[in-house]
């Protein structure tokens, strides 16, 4: 591997590393129960949950490690964790 | 105002699922904004966020040695000042780099009065190298260098009071905060960055691997630390405590029971004397910062 001058890296280059493969449990969001409070977006350590155009939240499964913080902290209990089948 | 949609700490970093420090980094960069230069000393955050040639940071970021993050930041700040530029310098370091190894450089930089913000994510041990005790490890926590066993209940020394040490250096703004309260965290970081002079923010960031709990519990445990009085969120302006988060306190047992590092206090036999000693620490905190909410009786 050749090193760049100053060992620098392009900002956000970590996106090359698809951490979604680490996941054992997949968070599944219930549209009915979602109150759009945005707590899951704030508390996600990956920062991979974002709002869709119709104001519903959705995680980016390419990077979601399935830690379950969103499911645990959701005030409306609108997120379930389902085991991944590979 | 903090732009909550700003993401400057990107996906794909290699922190464990449910990492408190990763969440802290995300919130800090949100609060600091794009006009920021981050200096990181060696530690878990440096390792999981920047395995070459990848980086999770979307702001200029420089890695220093374990001990000299404060010195590197001093140099950057001095250079920016000379060039007449207005970027903010933020240090992100762990508790090992802050409480133990970096102490000399931090003391020097705070005494010289550089205009930077020192942020310590406190996960209460050297997590990157395999959970060795640091000056921030709380009383009776079992780590690999303070193992609990027949002759010991784990770490024998109480946590070092770093915020008070830096307040004694004449820092204009010192605060402690927790990842369980994101709004409070971002507000304090923003305030520290906008205060002239060397400011210090200490963030309580539970570590699921080191403390021994499931990743989903990270926020719940950080909240419990505050609710039991073992961690106090407070602000110090010019060396005086001006604000502390008040709580209706729970017994410390509820916090201790959730983590493997305190398991020896309950199994094989319950150690009442040790639990009472930890309760006494919480009681002292409560008295010192006046965090108890007095419930009015009918």
């Amino acid at each position: 591997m050749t090193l760049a001058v100053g060992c620098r890296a392009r900002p956000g280059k970590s996106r090359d590393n698809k951490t979604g493969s680490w996941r054992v449990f997949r968070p599944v969001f219930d549209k009915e129960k979602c109150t759009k409070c945005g707590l899951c977006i704030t508390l996600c350590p990956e920062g991979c949950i974002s709002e869709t155009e119709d104001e519903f939240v959705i995680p980016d499964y390419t990077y979601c490690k399935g830690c379950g913080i969103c499911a645990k902290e959701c005030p409306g209990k609108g997120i379930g964790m389902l085991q991944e089948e590979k | 105002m903090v732009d909550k949609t700003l993401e400057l700490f990107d996906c794909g970093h290699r922190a464990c699922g449910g990492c408190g420090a990763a969440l802290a980094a995300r919130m800090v960069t949100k609060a600091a904004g794009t006009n920021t230069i981050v200096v990181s000393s060696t530690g878990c955050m440096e390792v999981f966020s920047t395995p070459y040639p990848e980086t999770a940071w979307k702001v200029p970021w420089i890695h220093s040695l374990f001990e000299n993050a404060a010195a590197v930041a001093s140099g950057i700040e001095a250079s920016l000042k000379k060039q007449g530029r207005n970027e903010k310098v933020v240090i992100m370091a762990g508790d090992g780099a802050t409480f133990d190894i970096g102490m000399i450089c931090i003391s020097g930089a705070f005494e010289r009065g550089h205009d930077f913000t020192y942020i310590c994510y406190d996960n209460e041990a050297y997590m990157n190298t395999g959970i060795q005790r640091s000056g921030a490890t709380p009383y009776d926590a079992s780590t690999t260098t303070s193992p609990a066993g027949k002759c010991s209940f784990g770490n024998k020394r109480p946590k070092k009071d770093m915020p008070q040490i830096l307040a004694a250096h004449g820092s204009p703004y010192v605060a402690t905060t927790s990842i369980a309260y994101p709004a409070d965290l971002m507000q304090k970081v923003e305030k520290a960055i906008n205060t002239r002079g060397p400011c210090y923010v200490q963030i309580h960031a539970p570590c699921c691997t080191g403390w021994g709990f499931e990743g989903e519990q990270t926020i719940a445990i950080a909240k419990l630390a505050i609710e039991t009085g073992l961690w106090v969120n407070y602000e110090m302006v010019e060396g005086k405590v001006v604000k502390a988060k008040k709580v209706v306190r729970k017994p410390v047992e509820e916090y201790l029971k959730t983590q493997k590092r305190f398991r020896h206090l309950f199994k094989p036999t319950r150690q009442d004397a040790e639990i009472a000693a930890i309760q006494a620490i919480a009681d002292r905190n409560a008295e010192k910062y006046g965090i108890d909410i007095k419930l009015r009786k009918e």
Side-chain angles (χ1 to χ4, degrees), chain A residues 15-76:
Chain A
R15 278 192 171 263
D16 290 2
N17 185 32
K18 311 271 189 278
T19 49
S21 60
W22 299 13
R23 199 169 54 241
V24 179
F25 291 96
R26 162 190 286 258
V28 181
F29 289 63
D30 186 342
K31 207 167 188 171
E32 299 294 304
K33 288 184 183 167
C34 178
T35 58
K36 304 176 178 69
C37 68
L39 196 63
C40 51
I41 302 177
T42 312
L43 292 179
C44 177
E46 310 309 311
C48 71
I49 306 178
S50 55
E51 227 171 286
T52 56
E53 276 173 15
D54 55 343
E55 291 190 331
F56 183 55
V57 284
I58 194 116
D60 185 345
Y61 290 114
T62 321
Y63 298 103
C64 169
K65 291 171 186 162
C67 68
I69 287 183
C70 51
K72 168 95 181 152
E73 299 300 324
C74 178

Side-chain angles (χ1 to χ4, degrees), chain B residues 255-273:
Chain B
Y255 174 67
L256 304 177
K257 267 200 293 204
T258 54
Q259 302 160 48
K260 221 189 246 176
R261 62 177 177 159
F262 293 116
R263 190 173 52 180
H264 56 284
L265 300 177
F266 301 96
K267 280 177 186 169
T269 50
R270 198 187 144 87
Q271 306 294 336
D272 283 314

Side-chain angles (χ1 to χ4, degrees), chain B residues 147-218:
Chain B
K150 276 182 191 155
C151 309
S152 164
F153 290 115
N155 182 35
K156 290 193 178 77
R157 300 291 306 152
K159 194 183 176 92
K160 192 193 271 186
D161 198 348
M162 195 68 185
Q164 293 281 357
I165 294 172
L166 293 178
H169 278 72
S171 167
Y173 184 77
V174 172
T176 60
T177 181
S178 163
I179 57 159
Y181 298 90
D184 176 72
L185 190 156
M186 288 191 257
Q187 191 200 337
K188 280 173 178 168
V189 170
E190 197 188 9
K191 195 167 172 187
I193 286 171
N194 291 325
T195 305
R196 267 196 80 82
C199 301
Y200 179 70
V201 180
Q202 192 171 312
I203 303 174
H204 196 225
C207 166
C208 44
T209 311
W211 298 9
F213 59 83
E214 291 296 324
E216 61 177 29
Q217 301 287 341
T218 305

Side-chain angles (χ1 to χ4, degrees), chain B residues 59-173:
Chain B
V59 287
W61 179 93
I62 182 169
H63 171 222
S64 75
L65 300 177
F66 226 137
E67 64 273 23
N68 66 354
V72 170
S74 304
I76 294 172
E77 189 264 347
S79 164
L80 291 175
K81 206 157 109 187
K82 175 82 184 151
Q83 294 174 58
R85 287 161 62 170
N86 66 349
E87 283 95 331
K88 303 290 183 188
V89 182
V90 173
I91 303 167
M92 285 291 285
D95 56 285
T98 308
F99 286 59
D100 304 343
I101 306 177
M103 197 65 203
I104 301 170
C105 287
I106 295 170
S107 183
F110 271 69
E111 177 263 320
R112 290 190 299 270
H114 289 282
D115 182 18
F116 63 55
T117 303
Y118 195 107
I119 290 164
C120 167
Y121 67 96
D122 182 4
N123 49 22
E124 306 192 324
Y126 291 86
M127 296 313 181
N128 170 40
T129 45
I131 320 153
Q132 288 83 13
R133 82 169 280 280
S134 76
T137 306
Y139 181 71
D140 267 359
S142 178
T143 67
T144 49
T145 48
S146 65
K150 276 182 191 155
C151 309
S152 164
F153 290 115
N155 182 35
K156 290 193 178 77
R157 300 291 306 152
K159 194 183 176 92
K160 192 193 271 186
D161 198 348
M162 195 68 185
Q164 293 281 357
I165 294 172
L166 293 178
H169 278 72
S171 167
Y173 184 77

